Structure formats: structure tokens, C-alpha cells
Amino acid sequence: MKKFSFSLEKVLEIRKFRQEQAEIEVGRALSAEQVIQHKLDTVASQYAETTQLMRGASDFQLLCDANRFYALLNMQKEQLLEELTQAKLVTEEKRKILQKAMREYEAVAKLREKNYAVYEQELAAEEENLVDDIVTSRYNRGRTGSD
């Protein structure tokens, strides 16, 4: 009995590899988003800490320094928000590539499954024919021996 072989096995392997690479790229993009979000969280906590320190402060120089620091934090926040927006766009693009890779892999995988189902049916039919041949030959041998 012949072994199952799928003529597009290499294509299936390549598409699986592409899907895995796309999954890695999505992971990297999400990681980049998280790094930016962490930086934004740090800016927000610095803003809150400075606000807490400035409560009740009456030193003019200290208030001026705090205002400059607020301005710096706002610039950083705006820059990080812009970076986060770009990172989200990259992540969305990577997700689309992943979805496409998954669809392409799935299409060939389903074709392989169908071919395997046909192979199993042919194998079952071949085994049935073999059993029928064995039974028929034994039956015929038994009939010719008793005549």
C-alpha cells in the first residue's frame, strides 16, 4: 500500500513558516506599543508627582522650574502619543499580513485534508478489494478441492 503524499507539501510548509513569521512580527509590533505606553505612563506619573510636590509651594523659582518641566512633559507626551499612533498603525498592518498568511495557509491545509480523506477512502477500498480477493480465492480453492 502506498504512503500518503501531498504534492503541495512544500507550499504548505512555506505558508506555515510565513504565518509564524507574521505572528512574530505582530508580537514585536505589540511589544513596541507597550514600550511606548510604558513611557507615557512614566510621563503621567512624573506629571502627577510634580503636581503633588508643587501644592502649596510659594518659591517663584521652584514654580518656574515646575512650569518648564510641565512643558517638557507635555512635549514628551505629544511625541509619545504620535509614536503610539504610528505604532498602532504598524500593528494593524502586521495583523492584516498575519490574517492573509493564515488564510493562505488554511486554504492549502484544507486541500491537504481533502486529499488525505480521498487517500483514506482509496486505501479502504483497496483493503476491501484485497479481502474480497482473499475470500474469493479461498472459496474457489475450497470448491475445486471438493469436486
Side-chain angles (χ1 to χ4, degrees):
M1 291 180 215
K2 66 180 182 175
K3 181 181 169 193
F4 174 73
S5 68
F6 182 56
S7 61
L8 299 174
E9 193 69 40
K10 289 289 183 190
V11 173
L12 185 66
E13 290 172 13
I14 290 170
R15 289 191 177 177
K16 180 66 174 172
F17 177 76
R18 285 182 184 161
Q19 178 182 331
E20 290 168 352
Q21 291 301 311
E23 289 170 351
I24 290 169
E25 290 298 319
V26 168
R28 286 182 182 152
L30 288 171
S31 177
E33 276 186 46
Q34 289 176 343
V35 167
I36 295 168
Q37 186 61 51
H38 178 71
K39 289 178 182 178
L40 274 168
D41 294 344
T42 301
V43 166
S45 68
Q46 288 176 337
Y47 197 92
E49 287 173 15
T50 304
T51 301
Q52 185 68 25
L53 288 172
M54 291 297 104
R55 283 206 173 113
S58 59
D59 183 9
F60 182 73
Q61 186 61 40
L62 190 60
L63 291 172
C64 287
D65 289 345
N67 275 338
R68 282 195 297 274
F69 189 61
Y70 286 143
L72 173 68
L73 290 176
N74 281 329
M75 285 181 7
Q76 286 180 342
K77 179 183 80 172
E78 291 303 318
Q79 180 183 355
L80 289 170
L81 287 173
E82 188 175 315
E83 287 177 22
L84 184 60
T85 300
Q86 292 301 316
K88 286 183 182 283
L89 290 173
V90 169
T91 300
E92 189 58 36
E93 187 61 35
K94 299 291 183 185
R95 278 192 175 121
K96 287 178 183 176
I97 291 169
L98 174 59
Q99 289 171 346
K100 180 182 177 193
M102 289 172 74
R103 280 192 308 270
E104 289 175 350
Y105 171 76
E106 202 58 38
V108 178
K110 284 183 181 179
L111 182 61
R112 184 182 192 280
E113 287 174 15
K114 287 179 183 178
N115 284 1
Y116 189 72
V118 168
Y119 165 78
E120 285 183 325
Q121 288 173 348
E122 290 173 354
L123 187 63
E126 188 177 315
E127 287 175 357
E128 188 176 318
N129 287 339
L130 184 63
V131 169
D132 284 349
D133 288 347
I134 291 171
V135 169
T136 302
S137 69
R138 284 188 181 169
Y139 177 76
N140 286 338
R141 256 190 274 151
R143 289 190 64 204
T144 57
S146 64
D147 287 339

